[in-house]
Amino acid sequence: MADTLGFLASPPSNHTATAWAWRRLGALVAPAGLVLNGRHLWDPQLHSASAAWRILLGGTLGAGEAYVDGDWDCAALDVLTARLLAAEADRPLAWRASAIAQALAARVVNGQTKRRARRAITSHYDLDDALYEAMLGPTMAYSCGYWRAATTLDEAQRAKWALVCRKLALTPGQRLLDVGCGWGGFAEYAARHHDVKIVGITVSPSQAAAARARCAGLPIDIVECDYRDVRGRFDRIVSIGMFEHVGPRNYRAYFDTMRRLLTEDGLMLLHTIGGLVSRRTTDAWIDRHVFPGSVLPSAAQIARALEGRFVIEDWHNFGADYDRTLMAWHARFEVAWPALAHRYPERFRRLWRYYLLTCAGTFRARRNQLWQLVLSPHGVAGGHRRLA
C-alpha cells in the first residue's frame, strides 16, 4: 500500500498537490452526500496519498483498481455507488484516458468476434466452479432472479425460470434452443417441468461439462459452440444473460441468426441487462477485470436491431430485482470466503466484492435495467398475453 497518511476527516497539508486532489475529489462526491474519510458507512476511506489522484486521473478504472490495491475502502460500496449515480456525481470522471481509448477502439474493432467472444467468456466463467457454487447456490443461475413473490435467492431464480416458461407458452414435445445455457439450470428445469427437447449452447468448456453432468438422462443436448454456428429449427428460443456479450456491431446479425433458427409460429424470449444510453463500450473497470468485451444494450439499440426481423410482443422491466440478486450473491460469497481463501488471493476477494456491490448500486440507482422481451416472427394472433 502506498504511504499511509493517517488523517481522518481532514485533508493533508494545504500546500501539497495531494491536498488539491483531496479537495477536488471531495467537491465531486459532495453532491452525493459523501465525505472523504467521513463517519458514515458509505463514506470512502482514503488510506494512501495516491488514492485521490488515481480516482481523479483514472475515473472508474482508477477507482476500482485503487480499491483492489487497498488504497481506499468503504463499508457500504453499494450505497456509495447508488448515491454517486443518483446524484450523477460520476459524470465528471466518465471520460478519462482509458475510457477514451476503449471507445476509439470499439469504433474500428469488433470486440465480440467468435475468437474474442470465446476468450472473454472463458476468462470469467471458467473460474473454479467452487466459487460459483458457493455464490449462486444449487440453481447455479448467474442472472437476475424474479423476486415478486420470492423470499430467498433460490426461490427467486426458480420463479424466473417459471416466468420464462410461462411467457414462452411451452408445451410437451417442442424443441427449445437455450442460447448461452450456462451450467444448465434452466434447461434442466424446462425439460423436467414442461417435457420439451432442448439444445443448450455455450462457448465455455467448463460450463458445458457441468451442464452435461447436470442434465444427464434428460432430452437435453449441450453443445459447445458459438451462436453463429447453430443450425436447425426450433419452436422456442431463450437467451438469458447472454446478449450483454454480443456487442453492438453484431446485434443485427444476432437477430438474423435467431430469426433463421426460429419456426414461423415460434417465440423467442430475450433476457438482458440494459443501459439508459446507447454505447459501444462498457465501464472500463468491468471491461478490464470482470467481463471483457461486454456491452449493455440500450432500448434504442435493441429496437433498431429488431426492425424488420421480429414483432415485440412484450417488454418487461424488473431491473430493481437485480439489486437484491447481487446483494444475495455478495452475502453468500462473504460467508463462503473462508473456504475459498486458499484458492484465491485477498486481492481477488476485494475485486469480487467491488464487482458485486458496485453493480448492485447501479441497479439501485436505476442506471441499469433488466429487460425480458418476448419476440415473434409475424405477431401472435390476438396478441401475446404476459403471464408475469
Side-chain angles (χ1 to χ4, degrees), residues 152-351:
T152 69
L153 177 62
D154 296 340
E155 289 176 358
Q157 295 295 8
R158 293 190 176 95
K160 184 259 302 293
W161 290 341
L163 175 67
V164 170
C165 292
R166 290 197 301 274
K167 288 181 176 181
L168 286 174
L170 296 182
T171 58
Q174 288 178 330
R175 295 193 73 224
L176 182 146
L177 174 65
D178 186 353
V179 182
C181 65
W183 291 274
F186 174 76
E188 180 195 22
Y189 180 92
R192 290 192 186 280
H193 290 268
H194 296 278
D195 194 23
V196 291
K197 300 174 183 178
I198 300 168
V199 173
I201 65 167
T202 175
V203 296
S204 164
S206 176
Q207 285 189 332
R212 290 186 188 109
R214 179 170 189 150
C215 300
L218 294 170
I220 299 170
D221 186 17
I222 302 297
V223 181
E224 188 182 323
C225 78
D226 189 272
Y227 70 90
R228 286 160 280 208
D229 295 328
V230 179
R231 297 292 181 267
R233 297 277 275 178
F234 299 88
D235 304 296
R236 299 290 187 266
I237 297 176
V238 65
S239 178
I240 301 176
M242 176 269 180
F243 193 67
E244 300 90 333
H245 302 284
V246 170
R249 285 175 173 264
N250 306 304
Y251 290 161
R252 291 179 183 273
Y254 173 87
F255 286 117
D256 280 338
T257 300
M258 297 302 112
R259 180 65 187 84
R260 171 176 57 79
L261 296 170
L262 190 63
T263 59
E264 294 301 306
D265 59 349
L267 290 174
M268 176 180 177
L269 185 137
L270 178 71
H271 172 117
T272 182
I273 300 172
L276 298 181
V277 179
S278 297
R279 301 187 187 281
R280 292 177 177 269
T281 61
T282 193
D283 173 81
W285 186 83
I286 290 289
D287 182 70
R288 180 173 295 184
H289 296 288
V290 185
F291 294 113
S294 63
V295 183
L296 302 186
S298 70
Q301 287 172 316
I302 292 175
R304 283 195 296 268
L306 287 171
E307 282 188 13
R309 294 166 176 83
F310 285 99
V311 173
I312 302 174
E313 298 287 352
D314 185 54
W315 195 314
H316 182 189
N317 184 355
F318 54 98
D321 285 18
Y322 225 144
D323 176 12
R324 194 168 176 183
T325 302
L326 283 153
M327 294 304 293
W329 289 344
H330 172 257
R332 287 190 173 186
F333 173 75
E334 292 293 342
V335 168
W337 180 253
L340 297 170
H342 71 285
R343 300 171 181 263
Y344 303 98
E346 179 63 22
R347 284 176 55 83
F348 180 86
R349 182 185 189 181
R350 293 181 67 84
L351 185 150

